[in-house]
Amino acid sequence: MTQTLEHEEVRIHRGPRSGLPLIVAVHSRALGPAVGGCRMRRYDGWRAGLADALRLSEAMTYKCAVSGLDFGGGKSVIVLDRNAPVTPELRAAALTDMGEFIASFDGTYRAGPDVGTSPADMVVLRRSTPHVYCLPEEHGGTGDSGAPTATGVLAALRAGARHVFGSASFAGRTVVVSGFGSVGSRVAAGLAADGARVLVSDVDGGRRDAARRSGYGWVEPADALGTAADILVPAAVGGVLTPETAARLAVRLVVGPANNQLSDDTVADTLAARGIVWVPDFVASAGGVVHTLGRESEGLDHGAAVRRVEGIGDTVRLLLKGAENPLREAKALVGRRLPPG
Ligand SMILES: NC(=O)c1ccc[n+]([C@@H]2O[C@H](COP(=O)([O-])OP(=O)(O)OC[C@H]3O[C@@H](n4cnc5c(N)ncnc54)[C@H](O)[C@@H]3O)[C@@H](O)[C@H]2O)c1
């Protein structure tokens, strides 16, 4: 029996210094070199890390294609043990190992920061390979992409709000922001500045004071997906929209930066059947990659790159126009860019 390998290249390698499993998954290079973050997190074994790399690299293909970028989708993962301590020495060894691993791709896979890594970590990768994005500004990069990602999410939210509520303004709307981190806190600020009532949720209870200082309400994480509101912004982790959570959502619009929000594609049908408009994550979360590649690969200035990020609003308008299922529309848009096969 033959099985189709949907990914163009997947390599797994044990880091010679760290002993940790390192994974690079390239979903597609049909439009250009594969790009995608280098993730470092604890998993229940390397197979779970591999599953994450496969899913996330595929999402990067869609994100680049739908955003009009001539790049493909990839992802790298450093698999930390679920229970073993992570010393600074182990972290540094793992990053050096990953730098050499990425160098072996000769520019056909290019990395940036992701969950568990930062612009400062990219300096370590850069010692082995030039194919690294988002170094800190003092090292010649564009640094943390949280701000442009939030700009893109806000553009997607405005287009979504116009479609659902007939107005792109958030004045008087109640919005639940699940995940009050780098992107979520910026999106919350943008919404509040436009008059929204913002309710924040985060598993890190320490963020509660920061939320209160900003004048936001607080929702316990267990309640975030069932809270009655106008809009939900998933800005924490993937996989939060399941058949079960989709059935109890009490909002009309869902737009956020978290990657791979759906547990599976059928959840998009459930949401559509319930009249809830969900903007696909690979469209709404593309601001960071659009800004970074615009600046670092095309040499755009900041203003031009931000204008391009705001174009995400146009893509969302196009997807929602007459669409029953925005996921299907977005995948059709991807399909029109990608060569068949
Ligand atoms: N930073 C970017 O440029 C970027 C780009 C594209 C996509 N994303 C995705 O957007 C999401 C947010 O990114 P970020 O950079 O703000 O990350 P972050 O780590 O700064 O913030 C995430 C926040 O979510 C909280 N959290 C974790 N699990 C939670 C849960 N189950 N419920 C509620 N809160 C929870 C964390 O405590 C943290 O405060 C991630 O899924 C990330 O992969 C980020």
Side-chain angles (χ1 to χ4, degrees):
M1 191 174 85
T2 56
Q3 286 196 26
T4 308
L5 176 65
E6 286 160 353
H7 289 66
E8 210 171 295
E9 184 175 7
V10 182
R11 287 205 234 157
I12 307 172
H13 162 78
R14 190 168 63 221
R17 296 170 189 78
S18 63
L20 293 175
L22 309 179
I23 299 162
V24 173
V26 170
H27 177 256
S28 168
R29 298 187 184 95
L31 295 174
V35 292
C38 171
R39 180 164 285 208
M40 177 160 17
R41 12 166 326 203
R42 293 181 187 277
Y43 290 94
D44 293 321
W46 64 267
R47 286 178 180 81
L50 174 62
D52 217 14
L54 294 176
R55 270 194 307 269
L56 291 161
S57 58
E58 183 176 356
M60 283 305 296
T61 297
Y62 298 160
K63 198 178 285 197
C64 290
V66 89
S67 306
L69 298 167
D70 291 330
F71 286 87
K75 206 79 177 183
S76 49
V77 171
I78 298 171
V79 180
L80 299 176
D81 190 280
R82 173 65 72 201
N83 302 308
V86 181
T87 62
E89 292 74 25
L90 179 65
R91 231 180 151 271
L95 287 166
T96 304
D97 285 344
M98 184 53 101
E100 288 183 359
F101 193 23
I102 293 170
S104 73
F105 284 77
D106 249 341
T108 64
Y109 164 67
R110 307 177 185 186
D114 201 272
V115 171
T117 60
S118 66
D121 293 331
M122 297 303 104
V123 178
V124 181
L125 299 188
R126 187 61 174 262
R127 288 184 197 131
S128 304
T129 170
H131 301 296
V132 182
Y133 294 106
C134 295
L135 270 70
E137 285 178 31
E138 61 273 24
H139 287 268
T142 53
D144 178 29
S145 59
T149 300
T151 300
V153 172
L154 284 163
L157 275 161
R158 270 185 224 103
R162 182 180 290 284
H163 179 80
V164 173
F165 306 112
S167 163
S169 164
F170 304 117
R173 303 263 165 241
T174 300
V175 187
V176 175
V177 178
S178 171
F180 195 52
S182 168
V183 183
S185 59
R186 290 175 164 107
V187 171
L191 291 164
D194 192 30
R197 172 176 172 248
V198 175
L199 305 175
V200 163
S201 180
D202 200 296
V203 283
D204 177 357
R207 312 258 162 146
R208 189 176 186 146
D209 282 344
R212 190 181 297 133
R213 279 196 301 277
S214 301
Y216 308 144
W218 180 262
V219 179
E220 288 304 327
D223 302 327
L225 297 176
T227 298
D230 297 299
I231 304 172
L232 171 70
V233 178
V237 289
V240 290
L241 300 176
T242 65
E244 187 269 321
T245 58
R248 65 186 167 92
L249 283 184
V251 294
R252 291 180 60 199
L253 175 64
V254 182
V255 184
N259 291 312
N260 293 8
Q261 290 166 23
L262 304 186
S263 62
D264 67 88
D265 284 4
T266 64
V267 177
D269 297 313
T270 307
L271 293 171
R274 292 200 57 215
I276 298 170
V277 172
W278 175 70
V279 174
D281 40 35
F282 57 83
V283 179
S285 70
V289 73
V290 167
H291 182 266
T292 300
L293 294 175
R295 300 257 351 247
E296 297 192 23
S297 285
E298 285 187 54
L300 296 182
D301 65 26
H302 175 70
V306 168
R307 280 193 293 284
R308 198 175 274 184
V309 170
E310 282 166 350
I312 288 173
D314 299 328
T315 306
V316 173
R317 262 188 294 283
L318 191 74
L319 290 179
L320 297 184
K321 213 165 101 190
E324 272 177 30
N325 182 330
L327 178 61
R328 216 169 293 137
E329 289 298 316
K331 287 207 171 171
L333 197 59
V334 168
R336 286 198 285 278
R337 278 214 78 208
L338 287 180

